[in-house]
Amino acid sequence: LWPGVEKLAPTTWIEWLQTGDETVRNLALPNLASGRWELAAWTWQSTTKLTLLVPGACFSVDLVFRDAGDLVMWYVNFERPFQRTPIGIDTFDLLLDLVIEPDMSYRWKDEGEYTQGRQLGVISDDEHNHAQQAREQVLALLDQRTGPFDERWLSWQREAHWPLPTLAANATTWPPQAG
């Protein structure tokens, strides 16, 4: 992702980003648990983000860069393994994140939301077990400076000539509902 690229995001997350209203953010999990949530188009704003995905893994790793190419952070999303669809890549965030600074110090993020997601049934026991295994796997990769934490990724840069990707016309209605 880079400034100007459209993606889909939960409408509560978009509204929270636009307003900073924590009450909106706090609605996200109950809405998700009850099936009252929607996706909408969101335009990426300020940084360039390279997302590294491993088939079958319960996490992805974002390398977030400033325009000058300086690494801002690694951002680990714990999530269901991604699936390719005819319109792109689909995944489901398990609400737990790990933020890793350029000096390799790190902090866990959103553990309260993760606990609430477990209580509301958004995250199953099986997904919880996979997330715990993924935590260990990510920390081992970080400790070894391998995989997404290998220094070769630090020099990655988006090609200036890449065109802005566009969302598929049916992005918010995929998959088609049975009639």
Side-chain angles (χ1 to χ4, degrees):
L1 295 173
W2 61 91
V5 173
E6 275 193 327
K7 64 176 268 172
L8 293 180
T11 54
T12 50
W13 183 78
I14 294 169
E15 185 178 345
W16 170 71
L17 285 176
Q18 292 171 335
T19 66
D21 184 349
E22 286 296 318
T23 58
V24 172
R25 181 181 169 120
N26 293 338
L27 292 173
L29 280 176
N31 286 350
L32 179 61
S34 67
R36 293 186 323 260
W37 71 300
E38 295 179 26
L39 293 175
W42 167 253
T43 302
W44 193 254
Q45 301 293 314
S46 61
T47 56
T48 295
K49 183 173 87 161
L50 171 66
T51 300
L52 302 174
L53 300 159
V54 177
C58 290
F59 65 91
S60 65
V61 179
D62 298 334
L63 285 88
V64 181
F65 298 94
R66 289 183 187 86
D67 283 341
D70 300 324
L71 181 71
V72 175
M73 71 178 128
W74 287 269
Y75 195 94
V76 182
N77 280 302
F78 293 87
E79 57 196 21
R80 291 179 185 160
F82 76 91
Q83 295 182 10
R84 291 193 176 275
T85 73
I87 64 167
I89 292 176
D90 190 19
T91 188
F92 186 87
D93 191 335
L94 295 177
L95 311 172
L96 180 65
D97 304 297
L98 179 63
V99 177
I100 304 167
E101 302 297 333
D103 68 1
M104 298 295 195
S105 62
Y106 63 86
R107 64 183 165 83
W108 294 99
K109 185 175 176 285
D110 299 332
E111 288 187 286
E113 285 184 1
Y114 180 79
T115 299
Q116 184 184 10
R118 294 262 303 132
Q119 292 168 344
L120 292 171
V122 173
I123 301 166
S124 70
D125 289 343
D126 190 46
E127 288 171 326
H128 171 70
N129 292 334
H130 288 295
Q132 296 310 307
Q133 292 170 357
R135 277 185 188 224
E136 293 174 19
Q137 184 181 4
V138 166
L139 291 176
L141 291 169
L142 178 62
D143 186 51
Q144 299 164 9
R145 308 296 194 261
T146 58
F149 309 110
D150 187 303
E151 68 181 33
R152 69 188 169 105
W153 290 111
L154 299 178
S155 62
W156 178 88
Q157 289 191 1
R158 173 181 64 86
E159 297 290 333
H161 68 275
W162 287 355
L164 280 176
T166 57
L167 285 174
N170 64 340
T172 58
T173 59
W174 182 263
Q177 301 299 315

